[in-house]
Amino acid sequence: MSYFDAASAAPLHPVARQALQASLDEGWADPARLYREGRRARLLLDAAREAAADAVGCRPDELAFTASGTHAVHAGIEGALAGRRRVGSHLIVSAVEHSSVLHSADAHEASGGAVTRVRVDRAGRVSPSSCAAALRPDTALACLQSANHEVGTEQPVAEVAQMCREAGVPLLVDAAQSLGWGRVEGDWSLLTASAHKWGGPSGVGLLVVRKGVRFAPQGPADERESGRAAGFENIPAIVAAAASLRAVRAEAAVEAVRLRELTERIRARVPALVPDVEVVGDAVRRLPGIVTFSCLYVDGETLLHELDRAGFSVSSGSSCTSSTLTPSHVLKAMGVLSEGNVRVSLPPGTPQEDVERFLSVLPGVVSGVREKLGAPTAVTKVPASVDALVVDALGRRCPIPVIELAKVIGDVPVGGTVRVLSDDEAARLDIPAWCEMRGQEYVGEEPSDHGSAYVVRRLS
């Protein structure tokens, strides 16, 4: 079995396993106590904090360990907003932030705060000028991930941090995906991360608050972790997290070159091997191990199951793999195809042979899924008898509306239109994406008695 979902959780690093086992015997006592066992635990905790701080590039007393990366995000946003409540209650986030950031933004907005969600381009990248334009006199905090968790696009953190600093606004950086590869550059104010993303144990997060940043921890007071993370520290897991971060950093430069070559191979060969595929995310400014692509006429859930049966563990942002049946907020914000979405995120040490086997298996898997769904193999070139057609796809989930569109586009003359009726939210994203990929014109969306009508004009 080839595990290709390191962006969700990286396999436990051997150094993390060793450190965890060793510290179970020494790090079980209360580090706040003065007796021998407590002092041993305190030494382990302090050493782990120093190692993690060195990897981040901050002072040890600026770094707190939390119960998870999500907890670090929530605590960081809430504390920074509360600390600057006299300035205002305006929060800035990018449209492609991790759900933990966006959920915090939703909660802030529900409680009366103001939120600006900065748009991204089709590569998933924000522009520094857009972030600067979002700044207001009452802006309390801005949030920007260092790199995207779904498509791997790196964000211009240093430039945005400089603009925020000049405006007197703290910037919180979610560095969960990138910290294992290197420090986050720029004059940021707060930083969060999660150990299971770099091969540490789950249940350990990092929250860094720079000296001089106004910060007011929320919730009941607690003396642990400078009051920023309540509860007894999981010292064995913390030690393992810090040890593995130091270990992956030592390997990062060499491994980044190797994984970047493997993902570049996937980016180049998948469109050549599989027709009607869109590779998404920035082609250059991206993390080494992540490559994401979307396939037309494919049920995402079925595709992932078939790849699993073939021996590959991958993930997806497709609406078909979600219980909500809505496309990934990242793909939606980028305006790219969401159906049949596959994210390949290679863990360090991935053999080249596994990637080659994936590339040999993928075309057959996609073809098989398309055949089951009755997807067209090409646009039909037949004499057209009508100038306009209506496709009723109400109650049918993507990719079916797009498949039905592709089947009939050749039945109208050049200049003729097809109206697709659909009540699946993914159609709002996938039909325009299909038009761009197939050289047809997306006219727009019209209201309908049920759902929406998506109008497409045939150009070729």
Coordinates of all heavy atoms in Angstrom, one line a residue, residues 176-224:
A176 N 1.0 25.1 9.5 CA 0.9 23.7 9.7 C 1.5 22.9 8.5 O 2.2 21.9 8.8 CB -0.6 23.3 9.8
Q177 N 1.3 23.3 7.3 CA 1.8 22.5 6.2 C 3.3 22.7 5.9 O 3.9 21.9 5.3 CB 1.0 22.8 4.9 CG -0.4 22.2 4.9 CD -0.4 20.7 5.0 OE1 0.6 20.0 4.6 NE2 -1.5 20.1 5.4
S178 N 3.8 23.9 6.2 CA 5.1 24.2 5.7 C 6.2 24.1 6.8 O 7.4 24.1 6.4 CB 5.1 25.7 5.2 OG 5.0 26.6 6.3
L179 N 5.9 24.1 8.1 CA 6.9 24.2 9.1 C 8.0 23.1 9.0 O 9.1 23.3 9.4 CB 6.3 24.3 10.5 CG 7.2 24.7 11.6 CD1 7.8 26.1 11.4 CD2 6.5 24.7 13.0
G180 N 7.5 21.9 8.6 CA 8.5 20.8 8.5 C 9.5 21.0 7.4 O 10.6 20.4 7.5
W181 N 9.2 22.0 6.5 CA 10.2 22.2 5.4 C 11.1 23.4 5.7 O 12.1 23.6 5.0 CB 9.4 22.5 4.1 CG 8.6 21.3 3.6 CD1 7.3 21.1 3.7 CD2 9.2 20.1 3.1 NE1 7.0 19.9 3.2 CE2 8.1 19.2 2.9 CE3 10.5 19.6 2.9 CZ2 8.3 17.9 2.3 CZ3 10.7 18.3 2.4 CH2 9.6 17.5 2.1
G182 N 10.7 24.3 6.6 CA 11.6 25.4 6.9 C 10.9 26.5 7.7 O 9.6 26.4 7.9
R183 N 11.6 27.5 8.1 CA 11.0 28.6 8.9 C 10.1 29.4 8.0 O 10.3 29.5 6.7 CB 12.1 29.5 9.5 CG 12.9 28.8 10.6 CD 13.9 29.8 11.1 NE 14.7 29.3 12.2 CZ 15.7 29.9 12.9 NH1 16.0 31.1 12.5 NH2 16.3 29.3 13.9
V184 N 9.2 30.1 8.6 CA 8.3 31.0 7.9 C 9.0 32.4 7.9 O 9.3 32.9 8.9 CB 6.9 31.1 8.5 CG1 6.1 32.2 7.8 CG2 6.2 29.8 8.5
E185 N 9.3 32.9 6.7 CA 10.0 34.2 6.6 C 9.1 35.3 6.8 O 7.8 35.2 6.6 CB 10.7 34.3 5.2 CG 11.7 33.2 4.9 CD 12.9 33.2 5.9 OE1 13.3 34.3 6.4 OE2 13.4 32.1 6.2
G186 N 9.6 36.5 7.2 CA 8.8 37.6 7.3 C 8.6 38.0 8.8 O 8.9 37.3 9.7
D187 N 8.1 39.2 9.0 CA 7.9 39.8 10.3 C 6.5 39.5 10.8 O 5.7 40.5 11.1 CB 8.2 41.3 10.2 CG 8.4 42.0 11.5 OD1 8.6 41.2 12.5 OD2 8.4 43.2 11.6
W188 N 6.1 38.3 10.9 CA 4.8 37.9 11.4 C 4.8 38.1 12.9 O 5.8 38.2 13.6 CB 4.5 36.4 11.0 CG 5.6 35.5 11.3 CD1 6.6 35.0 10.4 CD2 5.9 34.8 12.5 NE1 7.4 34.1 11.0 CE2 7.1 34.0 12.3 CE3 5.4 34.8 13.8 CZ2 7.6 33.2 13.3 CZ3 5.9 34.0 14.8 CH2 7.0 33.2 14.5
S189 N 3.5 38.0 13.4 CA 3.3 38.3 14.9 C 2.9 37.1 15.7 O 3.3 36.9 16.8 CB 2.3 39.4 15.1 OG 2.6 40.6 14.4
L190 N 2.1 36.2 15.0 CA 1.7 35.0 15.7 C 1.8 33.8 14.7 O 1.7 34.0 13.4 CB 0.2 35.0 16.2 CG -0.1 36.1 17.1 CD1 -0.8 37.3 16.4 CD2 -1.1 35.6 18.2
L191 N 2.0 32.6 15.2 CA 2.2 31.5 14.3 C 1.6 30.2 15.0 O 1.7 30.1 16.2 CB 3.7 31.2 14.0 CG 4.0 30.1 13.1 CD1 5.2 30.4 12.1 CD2 4.4 28.8 13.9
T192 N 1.0 29.4 14.2 CA 0.4 28.1 14.7 C 0.9 27.0 13.8 O 1.3 27.2 12.6 CB -1.1 28.1 14.7 OG1 -1.6 28.3 13.3 CG2 -1.6 29.3 15.5
A193 N 1.0 25.8 14.4 CA 1.4 24.6 13.6 C 0.9 23.3 14.3 O 0.4 23.4 15.5 CB 2.9 24.5 13.5
S194 N 1.0 22.2 13.7 CA 0.5 20.9 14.2 C 1.5 19.8 14.0 O 1.9 19.6 12.8 CB -0.8 20.6 13.5 OG -1.4 19.5 14.1
A195 N 1.8 19.1 15.0 CA 2.9 18.1 14.9 C 2.7 17.0 14.0 O 3.6 16.4 13.3 CB 3.2 17.6 16.3
H196 N 1.4 16.5 13.8 CA 1.2 15.4 13.0 C 1.3 15.7 11.5 O 1.4 14.8 10.7 CB -0.3 14.8 13.2 CG -1.4 15.7 12.7 ND1 -1.9 16.7 13.4 CD2 -2.0 15.6 11.5 CE1 -2.9 17.3 12.6 NE2 -3.0 16.6 11.5
K197 N 1.5 17.0 11.2 CA 1.8 17.3 9.8 C 3.3 17.1 9.4 O 3.6 17.0 8.2 CB 1.5 18.8 9.5 CG 0.0 19.2 9.8 CD -0.9 18.6 8.7 CE -2.3 19.2 8.9 NZ -3.3 18.7 7.9
W198 N 4.2 17.0 10.3 CA 5.6 16.8 10.0 C 6.1 15.4 10.5 O 7.3 15.2 10.5 CB 6.5 17.9 10.5 CG 6.5 18.1 12.0 CD1 7.1 17.2 12.9 CD2 6.0 19.1 12.8 NE1 7.0 17.7 14.2 CE2 6.3 18.9 14.2 CE3 5.3 20.3 12.5 CZ2 6.0 19.7 15.2 CZ3 5.0 21.2 13.5 CH2 5.3 20.9 14.9
G199 N 5.2 14.6 11.0 CA 5.7 13.2 11.4 C 5.8 13.1 12.9 O 6.4 12.1 13.4
G200 N 5.3 14.1 13.6 CA 5.2 14.0 15.1 C 3.9 13.3 15.5 O 3.0 13.0 14.6
P201 N 3.7 13.1 16.7 CA 2.4 12.4 17.2 C 1.2 13.4 17.1 O 1.4 14.6 17.1 CB 2.7 12.1 18.6 CG 3.7 13.0 19.1 CD 4.6 13.3 17.9
S202 N 0.0 12.9 16.9 CA -1.1 13.8 16.9 C -1.4 14.3 18.3 O -0.9 13.7 19.3 CB -2.3 13.0 16.4 OG -2.6 11.9 17.2
G203 N -2.1 15.4 18.4 CA -2.5 15.9 19.7 C -1.5 16.9 20.3 O -1.4 17.2 21.5
V204 N -0.6 17.4 19.4 CA 0.4 18.5 19.8 C 0.3 19.6 18.8 O 0.6 19.4 17.6 CB 1.8 17.9 19.9 CG1 2.8 19.1 20.4 CG2 1.9 16.8 20.9
G205 N 0.1 20.8 19.3 CA 0.1 22.0 18.4 C 1.1 23.0 19.0 O 1.5 22.9 20.1
L206 N 1.4 24.0 18.2 CA 2.3 25.1 18.6 C 1.5 26.4 18.4 O 0.9 26.6 17.4 CB 3.6 25.1 17.7 CG 4.5 23.9 17.6 CD1 5.7 24.2 16.8 CD2 4.9 23.4 19.0
L207 N 1.7 27.2 19.4 CA 1.2 28.6 19.3 C 2.3 29.5 19.7 O 2.8 29.5 20.9 CB -0.1 28.8 20.2 CG -0.6 30.2 20.4 CD1 -0.9 30.9 19.1 CD2 -1.7 30.3 21.4
V208 N 2.7 30.4 18.8 CA 3.8 31.3 19.0 C 3.2 32.7 19.0 O 2.5 33.1 18.1 CB 4.9 31.2 18.0 CG1 6.0 32.3 18.2 CG2 5.5 29.8 18.0
V209 N 3.4 33.5 20.1 CA 3.0 34.9 20.2 C 4.2 35.7 20.4 O 4.9 35.6 21.5 CB 2.0 35.1 21.3 CG1 1.5 36.5 21.3 CG2 0.8 34.2 21.1
R210 N 4.6 36.5 19.5 CA 5.8 37.4 19.6 C 5.7 38.4 20.8 O 4.6 38.8 21.1 CB 6.1 38.2 18.3 CG 6.4 37.3 17.1 CD 7.8 36.8 17.1 NE 8.2 36.4 15.8 CZ 9.3 35.8 15.5 NH1 10.2 35.5 16.5 NH2 9.7 35.5 14.3
K211 N 6.8 38.7 21.4 CA 6.8 39.7 22.4 C 6.3 41.0 21.9 O 6.7 41.4 20.7 CB 8.2 39.8 23.0 CG 8.7 38.6 23.8 CD 7.9 38.4 25.0 CE 8.4 37.2 25.8 NZ 7.5 36.9 27.0
G212 N 5.5 41.7 22.6 CA 5.0 43.0 22.2 C 3.7 42.9 21.5 O 3.0 44.0 21.3
V213 N 3.2 41.7 21.2 CA 1.9 41.5 20.6 C 0.8 41.5 21.7 O 0.9 40.8 22.6 CB 1.8 40.2 19.8 CG1 0.4 40.0 19.2 CG2 2.8 40.3 18.6
R214 N -0.2 42.4 21.6 CA -1.2 42.4 22.6 C -2.0 41.1 22.5 O -2.6 40.8 21.4 CB -2.1 43.6 22.4 CG -1.4 44.9 22.7 CD -2.4 46.1 22.7 NE -1.8 47.3 23.1 CZ -1.6 47.8 24.3 NH1 -2.0 47.0 25.3 NH2 -1.0 48.9 24.6
F215 N -2.1 40.4 23.6 CA -2.7 39.1 23.5 C -3.4 38.8 24.9 O -2.8 39.0 25.9 CB -1.7 38.0 23.3 CG -2.2 36.6 23.0 CD1 -2.6 36.3 21.7 CD2 -2.5 35.7 24.0 CE1 -3.1 35.0 21.4 CE2 -3.0 34.5 23.7 CZ -3.3 34.1 22.4
A216 N -4.7 38.4 24.8 CA -5.5 38.2 26.0 C -6.1 36.8 25.9 O -7.1 36.6 25.3 CB -6.6 39.2 26.2
P217 N -5.5 35.8 26.6 CA -6.0 34.4 26.5 C -7.5 34.4 27.0 O -7.9 35.1 27.9 CB -5.1 33.7 27.5 CG -3.9 34.4 27.6 CD -4.3 35.9 27.4
Q218 N -8.3 33.6 26.3 CA -9.7 33.5 26.6 C -10.0 32.3 27.3 O -9.2 31.3 27.3 CB -10.5 33.6 25.3 CG -10.3 34.9 24.5 CD -10.7 36.1 25.3 OE1 -11.9 36.4 25.5 NE2 -9.7 36.9 25.8
G219 N -11.2 32.2 28.0 CA -11.5 31.1 28.8 C -11.1 31.2 30.2 O -10.4 32.2 30.6
P220 N -11.4 30.2 31.0 CA -10.9 30.2 32.4 C -9.4 30.3 32.5 O -8.7 29.8 31.7 CB -11.4 28.9 33.0 CG -12.5 28.5 32.1 CD -12.2 29.0 30.7
A221 N -8.9 31.0 33.5 CA -7.5 31.2 33.7 C -6.8 29.9 34.1 O -7.4 29.0 34.7 CB -7.2 32.2 34.8
D222 N -5.6 29.7 33.6 CA -4.8 28.5 33.8 C -3.4 28.9 33.9 O -2.9 29.7 33.0 CB -5.1 27.5 32.8 CG -4.6 26.1 33.2 OD1 -3.4 25.8 33.0 OD2 -5.4 25.3 33.7
E223 N -2.6 28.3 34.8 CA -1.2 28.7 34.9 C -0.3 28.0 33.9 O 0.9 28.3 33.7 CB -0.7 28.4 36.3 CG -0.6 26.9 36.7 CD -1.9 26.3 37.1 OE1 -3.0 27.0 37.0 OE2 -1.9 25.2 37.6
R224 N -0.8 27.0 33.2 CA 0.0 26.2 32.3 C 0.3 27.0 31.0 O -0.6 27.7 30.5 CB -0.7 24.9 31.9 CG -1.1 24.1 33.2 CD 0.0 23.1 33.6 NE -0.4 22.4 34.8 CZ 0.4 21.5 35.4 NH1 1.6 21.2 34.9 NH2 0.0 20.9 36.5

